[in-house]
Amino acid sequence: MMNKIEQLADNLKAESRMLADRAVAGLRTAGLETAGFIAKTKGPVHMIADAGLKLNALSHKSIEKMVKQQVVVLDDLIDGSARRLEMAARAKTVKTLVEGQMATLPKSRDHALANARKTVAIVRDTGDAFGDLFKDVVVDISSVRKGKKKVARRPAAKQKAAGRKPAARKPAAKKTVARKAPAKKVAPAEAA
């Protein structure tokens, strides 16, 4: 009887050890997998930080360009206003005043158009640069999710051509319209 009890106790110990060993092995495996997942999060964190830094640099550079352009616009306005006031002060007659003011209009218009074009170009280039940055971020995110290497893209400065080309339009898809079945002619009711 004692042998059976000892044998039962030995079996119970062995099974307990096996269960404990399995539990420890499972915990170790889970710990290693979790450590791997945690280590993989560094890549996206660095990618997001890099994208944030690029976005910050791009926005600061664009704001700098825009402020400088606005200073040029204001300088042109101030210079033009000063010239017109000097001309008005020196005019001997109303006729010379009006002729002088009219003569400055084409030059003022040309300056205004040139400044407007430069401002629009800055805004367009900034938009293109933001678009390229976001495309790069999307490519980076999708490559991280798929575990693939980052797709090499040309920098935005090299992509920009001398002029903007309009995007190619896709042909419009033809819509199918449900047709009504032709109405069936009903025979006139027979006279009763």
Side-chain angles (χ1 to χ4, degrees):
M1 179 78 163
M2 244 352 192
N3 279 342
K4 286 186 178 183
I5 293 174
E6 285 178 8
Q7 206 173 23
L8 184 62
D10 287 342
N11 286 343
L12 191 58
K13 283 182 195 177
E15 285 181 29
S16 296
R17 282 187 193 131
M18 253 189 348
L19 286 173
D21 289 345
R22 274 194 230 152
V24 168
L27 289 172
R28 283 186 179 145
T29 302
L32 291 172
E33 289 175 0
T34 303
F37 288 136
I38 290 172
K40 287 180 184 178
T41 60
K42 277 176 59 174
V45 167
H46 287 271
M47 182 192 57
I48 290 169
D50 289 344
L53 291 172
K54 287 177 185 175
L55 180 65
N56 187 34
L58 182 60
S59 64
H60 282 292
K61 186 176 181 181
S62 299
I63 289 170
E64 178 185 357
K65 286 180 184 178
M66 187 60 81
V67 168
K68 286 180 178 179
Q69 178 58 29
Q70 293 307 305
V71 167
V72 169
V73 169
L74 286 173
D75 283 348
D76 282 348
L77 286 172
I78 291 168
D79 291 344
S81 297
R83 277 193 303 273
R84 284 189 292 281
L85 283 173
E86 286 174 12
M87 188 182 309
R90 291 188 179 135
K92 300 290 182 190
T93 65
V94 173
K95 183 179 177 183
T96 57
L97 170 67
V98 172
E99 287 173 352
Q101 295 295 325
M102 294 299 284
T104 62
L105 288 177
K107 187 175 182 180
S108 297
R109 183 195 64 226
D110 292 343
H111 278 284
L113 285 174
N115 286 328
R117 284 187 185 112
K118 288 177 185 176
T119 301
V120 168
I122 291 170
V123 171
R124 185 182 60 234
D125 291 345
T126 300
D128 291 346
F130 279 133
D132 290 340
L133 177 63
F134 287 120
K135 286 176 188 174
D136 288 343
V137 169
V138 168
V139 167
D140 290 346
I141 289 171
S142 63
S143 66
V144 166
R145 284 186 178 168
K146 294 177 183 176
K148 296 180 180 177
K149 287 188 175 182
K150 182 178 169 182
V151 176
R153 290 180 45 94
R154 293 189 331 200
K158 291 183 181 177
Q159 287 180 348
K160 190 176 15 170
R164 266 185 94 150
K165 295 180 183 176
R169 293 185 181 218
K170 295 180 182 178
K174 292 183 180 179
K175 293 184 179 179
T176 55
V177 179
R179 294 184 183 177
K180 293 183 180 179
K184 293 183 181 179
K185 290 186 179 178
V186 179
E190 291 180 24

